[in-house]
Amino acid sequence: MPKTKTSKNTSGPKRARQLRADELPTREQLLEALATEPDVKGKRDLAKIFGIRGEMRKPFKAMLAELEGEGVITRTRKALRRTAALPAVTVLDIPTDADPDDLHAFPAQWNDEEGERPRVQVLGGRDARVVPAPGDRILARIDAGEDEIPHYTAKAMKILDKPRRAHIGIVRMDEDGARLIPVERKQKEMRIPAGDLGDAKDGDLVEVEVKLSGRLMIPRAKVTNVIGNPMSEGAISLIAIHSYEIPYRFPAAVVREADEAKEAGLKGREDWRDLPLITIDPADAKDHDDAVYAQPDEDENNPGGHIVYVAIADVSAYVQPGSALDREAYLRGNSVYFPDRVVPMLPERISNDLCSLREGEPRAAMAVRMVMGADGRKRSHSFHRVLMRSAAKVSYQQAQAAIDGQPDDKTGPILEPVLKPLWAAYEAMTKAREQRGPLDLDLPERKILLDDKGMVRDIHVPERLDAHRLIEEMMIAANVAAAETLEQKRSPVMYRVHDEPSGEKLSALRDFLGSLDIAMKKSDAVKAKDFNGILAQARRANNIEQVSEMVLRSQAQAEYAPENYGHFGLNLDRYAHFTSPIRRYADLIVHRALVKALDLGTGGLSDQEALKLPGIAQHISATERRAMLAERETSDRLLAQFLSTKIGARFEGRISGVTRSGLFVRLLETGADGFIPASTLGEDYYRYVEEQQAMIGERTGEKFGLGERVTVRLLEAAPVAGAMRFELLSEGTRVNPSSIKRGSRRPSQSRSFKGRRKK
């Protein structure tokens, strides 16, 4: 083979490899050249390296095409390169529509210039410590195999929380054009160049990509998608829905499957249609998934006892494992409740029709019959798959009013035969509850009422009635019964678990309580009753708000798990969610497990589902946390919008959080949260004293502590971010400055010597 001339230019492909005129390079030689020759740009460069000429060009070109078709090499624009290999440990995203029985994933981060993202097979099995599911993001150990073409497999090491979308915001028009108001509090505003606005208009919620421009690399936004206009659509929740990527539109296949569902009949069920079960719900409830009834127990061996019936909509009759409905319900994990809308776990045909226990209409249900002693303790129970018919639909307020002597046309006829026996059973059950001693943190929950435009009309704390507590107590009893039955049948269980507080959190709480002269035992072996004793001391000392806040912070977060470690807050050894399968996937899993364990017909838990319980538990625990954050942020935005017209107004509030950066204050009237930077506190250096959860003046001893009541002025409200900034108007309490322990760090922004605030 004639030698190739060597160019004096240092750029371009290097010398030709020594091949015969009729010889093609091997696949290994080609791949080595692509990996080691940085100047190779395409076929022509490779041909020069190997001296390919004349008749050899055609088979050489075919060889390259074959390698490209197999995915061994990648064409990017006009260049060829060897396909990039995945690192040994990689973050992968499993598509939401992946087959749960044959999972695959793709790299979460991928340079498109490297070609198409490689597909990775996710391995599982009985011995897998982490069991992922469709829609999950995982940290995985990668095996590429030993072939030329990587055949990637992965073993999940950890399920990760997916990050929120990086850049969404609201478009605002001004005299200079358009700007983006980010939904993230920590992100700054960006300008949107005129040519990058697209079809977006003032007030639109948009997705953008960020570009850096100019020598100063100033970030600019380019609109890539117009999501909608929360103001004109009256749905502030749109921001949180898209920020947290909450699925809110049902795919056509899911809607079609729901619409085609046939109403369950009596076949394979017990007939409970004559049992006067009733639903007790909020007055504005659109679906009714639980019904109750109680009667005196006539068994002479149980004097003063009661029989309590709890019937729950039988979602498992309509949502079969592996169906489109099931996959979508799993993906959502739970319903999400916003002040302006509900994002349901299941389509309306299921949640508001077939599985809503409507008054006077036959409905399929899973029911539990519980025998209670006069002391309120459960003596026995049994589960049944039934066809029931609600005798009445009443609100909490109606039921309570009837018991209090003011029945109406609806509750009058059922007062003696239904409501009074229910209350009698409840009164017995409260004895057992008091004996058990669950954590008694009865914190008020505000309800935001909206007007026709989706803006705040009113904020109030609904009265906590015995009717609420009755339903709560009967649902807890049913949930315990479900867990006990599944354990007795040696069935897999999706537990609702709540771990005891960590030693570190208990130590912090103990230090805080010590600063208030409230005693707490030094042992880390605490029970819910111990916290109730602390709360009782706090009520007597008139600082219940401070102590309640810290006790709440000391608690672990409840979650779902196939392993049981009890429910600390309820002081229960075993607990499972059974009573809301319309809105929680965990409850649907428990229903299926009961159907399978008790041989109650079709729709039971499959063996494949049972193997995946660890992954399902991790996923639905994450979707629950996502829902809580999205709901809280939406409330913050609505409240910031509501108060944005009251800049400069004074409010009463309580310090709800203390950090090195400043104070968080929750307004008493509305529950709105805002921030006071440490640099604006007053005429002193303020140190953050963690053990007291307070900021204390270094010189004056002025103290601002958790739970203390303060007066503030609203300085700024940012509705899109749901943030508010306050000015502190009231004086703090005075303590000895020596109470600041050594090592308590000064806030990074607390160096201001501003004068005392004007009242």
Side-chain angles (χ1 to χ4, degrees), residues 614-758:
I616 294 172
Q618 290 173 322
H619 172 74
I620 60 179
S621 294
T623 60
E624 180 185 52
R625 290 192 296 271
R626 177 182 69 182
M628 290 171 61
L629 290 170
E631 290 166 359
R632 186 183 308 154
E633 286 191 9
T634 298
S635 294
D636 287 346
R637 291 186 176 102
L638 284 165
L639 291 172
Q641 176 73 37
F642 178 61
L643 294 173
S644 63
T645 60
K646 301 180 181 181
I647 302 298
R650 292 168 48 138
F651 299 94
E652 296 298 310
R654 288 193 185 275
I655 297 173
S656 59
V658 184
T659 70
R660 292 183 174 87
S661 301
L663 305 175
F664 290 92
V665 173
R666 181 167 299 138
L667 303 185
L668 298 181
E669 184 179 354
T670 62
D673 289 297
F675 186 64
I676 302 172
S679 60
T680 67
L681 286 181
E683 305 170 328
D684 205 343
Y685 288 116
Y686 287 84
R687 291 184 183 270
Y688 170 59
V689 184
E690 184 175 6
E691 56 270 21
Q692 298 187 43
Q693 284 295 297
M695 299 285 279
I696 300 178
E698 190 176 77
R699 178 174 52 83
T700 62
E702 187 178 28
K703 175 186 174 184
F704 299 101
L706 184 72
E708 292 180 3
R709 188 160 177 161
V710 291
T711 303
V712 298
R713 177 182 286 122
L714 178 61
L715 296 182
E716 182 182 359
V720 173
M724 285 179 286
R725 185 165 60 88
F726 297 138
E727 176 189 15
L728 188 60
L729 299 180
S730 53
E731 302 284 343
T733 56
R734 298 287 172 169
V735 298
N736 190 329
S738 63
S739 65
I740 305 175
K741 294 183 179 180
R742 285 187 178 183
S744 296
R745 288 191 283 172
R746 177 182 297 133
S748 58
Q749 297 181 351
S750 62
R751 301 193 175 206
S752 172
F753 283 96
K754 295 185 178 181
R756 172 57 60 192
R757 299 148 296 279
K758 295 180 181 179

Side-chain angles (χ1 to χ4, degrees), residues 50 122 332 351 354 372 391 433 458 512 696 702 717 753:
F50 293 104
V122 181
R332 296 178 178 224
S351 60
L354 296 177
M372 303 291 184
R433 177 186 176 89
D458 188 25
F512 173 76
I696 300 178
E702 187 178 28
F753 283 96

Side-chain angles (χ1 to χ4, degrees), residues 26-36 67 72-73 82 148:
T26 64
R27 295 162 67 100
E28 289 76 12
Q29 286 173 321
L30 268 173
L31 296 175
E32 180 188 0
L34 285 171
T36 59
L67 287 170
V72 179
I73 62 176
R82 183 166 185 177
E148 288 177 359

